[in-house]
Amino acid sequence: HLYVVNATGNNGIAVFGRSSTPGPTFGQLTFIENDSGGGACGANAIKSATSVAVSPDGAHVYVTARPSGSSNVLTAWSRDNGTGQLSCIQKILDNTNLRRASGLSVSSDGTTVYATATSAKQERITAFSRDTGSGLLTFLQSIKDGTGGANSLSGPTATVVGAGDGNVYVTAGGDNAITRFTRNIAGSLSAPLALVDNVAGADGLAGASFLALSPDGKNAYTAAPGEDEIGIFARNVATGALAFVGVQANLVGPITGLDGITGLAVSPNGAYVVGAANLSSALSVFARNPATGALAFVAAITDPGNLDGARAVAASPDGKCVYVAAQTANNVEAYCFTGRDFGDAPGPYRTLEVNGGPRHSIGAAAFLGAGVPDAESDGQPSALANGDDLTGSDDEEGATPPASPILPGQTTTFMLTGAGVFDGWIDFNGDGDFNDSGEQIYFGAIIAGTTFESPALIADGFTIARFRARPLNSAPLFPEGGGGDGEVEDYLVELSANSFQVSVSKNGNGSGTVASSPTGLDCGTTCTAPFAENADVTLTATPAAGTDFTGWSGPAAGECSGSSCTFTNLTANKAVIATFTLQTFTLNTAVASGNGTIEDVPQADIQCGTGGASCAALFDYNTQVQLTAMPDSGWIFTGWTGDCTNVIGDCVVTMTQARSVQATFALGVFLFTVDPEAGNGTGTVRITNTDNATFIDCRPEVPADPDCTHFYTGGTHLSLAATPDADSFFSGWTTDCSGTGACTLTMAGPHTV
């Protein structure tokens, strides 16, 4: 999102959404809303807003304004990180410390907000403590011009917090100066020290209107509209002290576009410094040397009508675009860097443009890596193939080379990211070009983890890989020469002409993996892999859950210790066997009470209770054991306890640890019935409980004779005798007894006779 304040309008701050999607709309702005107050701030709280700053965490926005007469305010706004929309949460009215406020900044630790006031005889810098959670501000300190050692704050224009938060800088157009303050951990300022234009050799400070610091903290640059200059200062990163280095002045040599410069920004990667000049109505672009901080003029962009009164400029966080506020044109203009991208392979690879080196115009349709690359003026040949990446990280991050040397005939992957399609080459024979058979590894590939196979004969040592991105459906590229939109990246990669095999076999009833460092072998999927001659290869065995690694064997086992094998300075094939053994756990069972037996099905390792004495057994990890409870005659099974508590029916346990299970049995109570099944006579059946010599007489022909049904505890022994009446004879038993003699039964369940 972009936030713009309007010093003359009623709506104090405008909110724009910014497109970061690669493509033709990259960098474009979409209007979201205007805000003038409301909420905790009241209506028109920021009419005639003068400055805006966003907290480092992106949670809050702060605005200074002069809404009417002598009313001077600082407002705090909460920010929706998704939509960018603002809600006013605090208004500070201060007609002394904020009188005609001009500049505003927030420390990088987010704890302090600084504002400058420009009203005559009230010129000062004021510090407010910031609650990093709520964003609310509390007055902390105010230093007025001519007090506390600060003597160069006349007409303060901007305030900037130094890298590391140890300093705060204030530019003052009235004094043609920069004042550096030392900042303590609480945010308070002290020890002001000024650099004044044309004093002690300093320059680039006439009418000083703004100051921008390089991301590395090594340089400060000033906008000096009094002499149409950009001042260049070296900065001591430890103390924050500034030392004048030089200026870039309008109309000196090729330099244009600095007439009335008031705005300045350094790209986040430190590669460019851009200025906005209201009299030139222009945006000026300078390339920055990251080592020295020196500037080289690149171009001045003039756009009559759209850049009239160009006043302020801000760079996007990705460094790809800048935004200019043009006060006279009432415009906000967006500009994105195009330029050209070159390679950086060393000497023989034809990297320079004069030698036909590879080059692309920079666009958003095709690139390698996370985004649009930095621009170069020409190829940047370097021994490590990283010469075009010295000012940032955008030119050498599209590909991830293999971690170990590429071997003959090996299937390998370069992991690439970006947009478009790509062509790729590796100089496998090391002859300084990419023109030999088999050296083009990718041809119009979709950017992804595409594999390739190296030739059977390759050089030994380091060589160059080159990748070029181009838009979809565009013409294929050669390894050298010009291209349209896209990017070229060169990489140093290692080849090994000789290799040896490392092989792993696995043994035992357990499971696990064996992986190598460097990568290449991951036993389970690949149990044999080649490694470069003289490489140091370490194998590590990792058992699966429930498995123990129990040792190495095989020809190379003497080089193994513990769970690893290390083959130092590989000069021969190596083979080992890794043994993994399942862990075993004990299952303990017991008959808690009663008579019965516990058995496991189908293993039959456990027969515990009346039917056997095997109450414990060992089982392999993850084995499922099914236990069945079998009551003795006259007993019933009443339930499990232990690891099968509340289980009904058979108990199933999974042996991922030691387990314990108990079964409970109880005597049964069963129904005994005498039923008159047939016959037309009458008589009596005497039922004798032989365990205690009690008896009852049942007459079966009498309907529902209560003596003909009875409950007995399991195991009770019964004897039945039938006595016919005088007019009848007994003809026999059926169902659970037979014949005509005595009937004897043991109650192991319900019985009927």
Side-chain angles (χ1 to χ4, degrees):
H1 299 100
L2 180 73
Y3 297 91
V4 185
V5 293
N6 180 0
T8 58
N10 290 328
N11 294 318
I13 185 167
V15 182
F16 297 87
R18 174 181 178 270
S19 171
S20 58
T21 303
T25 63
F26 180 81
Q28 290 185 6
L29 299 178
T30 302
F31 176 76
I32 295 175
E33 66 176 358
N34 276 323
D35 276 303
S36 60
C41 301
N44 295 323
I46 53 171
K47 181 180 179 181
S48 301
T50 56
S51 57
V52 59
V54 182
S55 62
D57 59 7
H60 300 93
V61 173
Y62 299 92
V63 180
T64 54
R66 302 190 292 270
S68 63
S70 60
S71 178
N72 300 275
V73 299
L74 170 60
T75 53
W77 304 70
S78 64
R79 174 180 176 269
D80 185 304
N81 192 53
T83 66
Q85 291 176 307
L86 303 178
S87 299
C88 198
I89 60 173
Q90 182 185 24
K91 179 173 73 173
I92 298 173
L93 178 64
D94 189 334
N95 292 329
T96 299
N97 296 311
L98 295 174
R99 191 170 182 83
R100 299 187 62 82
S102 58
L104 191 63
S105 64
V106 186
S107 61
S108 64
D109 63 10
T111 63
T112 320
V113 172
Y114 298 95
T116 54
T118 64
S119 179
K121 297 183 181 181
Q122 293 293 336
E123 294 148 313
R124 65 184 66 222
I125 179 170
T126 300
F128 296 85
S129 294
R130 174 179 178 265
D131 185 307
T132 56
S134 67
L136 298 177
L137 303 180
T138 305
F139 176 82
L140 175 65
Q141 176 193 33
S142 184
I143 299 177
K144 181 181 175 182
D145 188 36
T147 66
N151 298 311
S152 299
L153 295 180
S154 175
T157 49
T159 171
V160 176
V161 182
D165 287 346
N167 304 100
V168 174
Y169 302 89
V170 179
T171 53
D175 279 331
N176 303 320
I178 307 170
T179 298
R180 170 176 61 95
F181 293 86
T182 298
R183 176 181 182 271
N184 67 18
I185 193 170
S188 296
L189 305 181
S190 62
L193 185 63
L195 285 177
V196 180
D197 197 52
N198 296 323
V199 175
D203 200 355
L205 295 172
S209 64
F210 202 76
L211 176 143
L213 295 175
S214 61
D216 57 15
K218 294 180 179 179
N219 295 101
Y221 301 91
T222 56
E227 293 178 345
D228 303 327
E229 295 175 337
I230 294 176
I232 305 169
F233 297 83
R235 178 177 180 272
N236 185 311
V237 295
T239 66
L242 303 180
F244 174 73
V245 173
V247 297
Q248 294 284 302
N250 196 45
L251 304 181
V252 174
I255 300 172
T256 58
L258 296 182
D259 190 7
I261 181 171
T262 54
L264 207 59
V266 183
S267 63
N269 60 11
Y272 298 96
V273 174
V274 292
N278 58 72
L279 298 180
S280 290
S281 296
L283 178 71
S284 54
V285 183
F286 295 82
R288 175 179 176 267
N289 185 318
T292 65
L295 301 182
F297 180 73
V298 174
I301 300 171
T302 56
D303 190 353
N306 291 324
L307 282 178
D308 289 351
R311 176 181 178 86
V313 60
S316 61
D318 60 9
K320 307 307 179 190
C321 302
V322 295
Y323 299 90
V324 185
Q327 187 176 22
T328 304
N330 299 319
N331 281 355
V332 176
E333 295 290 318
Y335 295 87
C336 294
F337 291 102
T338 55
R340 293 190 300 169
D341 180 68
F342 289 83
D344 54 9
Y349 289 94
R350 297 173 59 189
T351 298
L352 294 172
E353 184 173 12
V354 68
N355 297 325
R359 54 203 182 274
H360 288 274
S361 57
I362 296 175
F367 53 83
L368 285 156
V372 180
D374 295 333
E376 296 91 34
S377 59
D378 202 346
Q380 307 292 315
S382 61
L384 299 180
N386 64 350
D388 69 350
D389 203 44
L390 299 180
T391 60
S393 60
D394 295 340
D395 290 303
E396 217 68 40
E397 37 78 74
T400 303
S404 54
I406 298 173
L407 306 176
Q410 183 183 39
T411 298
T412 308
T413 301
F414 265 88
M415 295 301 299
L416 290 107
T417 57
V421 297
F422 67 93
D423 305 309
W425 302 263
I426 296 179
D427 181 15
F428 283 116
N429 64 4
D431 65 351
D433 62 47
F434 304 101
N435 301 321
D436 301 292
S437 177
E439 291 191 334
Q440 182 161 14
I441 59 172
Y442 300 132
F443 183 88
I446 300 297
I447 292 181
T450 306
T451 60
F452 64 89
E453 185 172 322
S454 54
L457 296 175
I458 62 178
D460 198 70
F462 287 92
T463 191
I464 295 297
R466 172 168 290 167
F467 301 96
R468 300 186 71 172
R470 54 185 171 88
L472 289 166
N473 303 317
S474 60
L477 299 171
F478 296 103
E480 293 89 19
D485 283 356
E487 182 180 359
V488 55
E489 290 188 3
D490 295 329
Y491 289 87
L492 195 67
V493 296
E494 187 175 4
L495 308 177
S496 179
N498 299 310
S499 65
F500 295 97
Q501 298 286 334
V502 175
S503 301
V504 175
S505 301
K506 293 195 291 185
N507 193 16
N509 64 350
S511 59
T513 60
V514 179
S516 65
S517 177
T519 57
L521 188 149
D522 189 356
C523 196
T525 55
T526 303
C527 283
T528 299
F531 292 90
E533 182 180 19
N534 300 320
D536 293 338
V537 180
T538 297
L539 302 179
T540 302
T542 304
T547 298
D548 292 324
F549 172 69
T550 53
W552 302 97
S553 58
E559 298 174 73
C560 303
S561 176
S563 62
S564 66
C565 299
T566 299
F567 308 127
T568 304
N569 195 27
L570 194 65
T571 56
N573 295 334
K574 302 288 182 180
V576 292
I577 301 170
T579 300
F580 297 95
T581 304
L582 282 174
Q583 297 170 358
T584 58
F585 298 100
T586 299
L587 172 58
N588 286 295
T589 63
V591 175
S593 62
N595 294 339
T597 304
I598 303 171
E599 292 187 1
D600 61 320
V601 181
Q603 293 94 338
D605 293 317
I606 289 177
Q607 290 182 327
C608 183
T610 308
S614 301
C615 289
L618 285 172
F619 294 93
D620 289 338
Y621 172 82
N622 220 34
T623 299
Q624 284 194 329
V625 183
Q626 181 175 343
L627 298 174
T628 298
M630 296 176 292
D632 287 353
S633 177
W635 295 78
I636 59 171
F637 171 64
T638 58
W640 302 99
T641 56
D643 286 321
C644 273
T645 299
N646 297 325
V647 171
I648 299 173
D650 284 358
C651 160
V652 178
V653 292
T654 302
M655 297 304 294
T656 55
Q657 63 185 47
R659 303 286 188 186
S660 177
V661 176
Q662 300 82 40
T664 301
F665 300 96
L667 283 169
V669 177
F670 305 108
L671 177 66
F672 178 78
T673 303
V674 179
D675 181 21
E677 182 181 78
N680 58 1
T682 61
T684 301
V685 177
R686 174 160 288 189
I687 308 165
T688 303
N689 180 345
T690 61
D691 293 322
N692 57 20
T694 60
F695 65 89
I696 56 176
D697 289 331
C698 158
R699 293 190 64 82
E701 72 276 11
V702 177
D705 183 352
D707 291 330
C708 292
T709 59
H710 200 73
F711 285 95
Y712 292 98
T713 303
T716 301
H717 299 90
L718 302 179
S719 175
L720 280 71
T723 303
D725 289 343
D727 59 350
S728 302
F729 67 91
F730 175 60
S731 58
W733 305 102
T734 60
T735 312
D736 289 343
C737 279
S738 61
T740 58
C743 169
T744 58
L745 294 168
T746 299
M747 294 300 293
H751 285 287
T752 300
V753 298

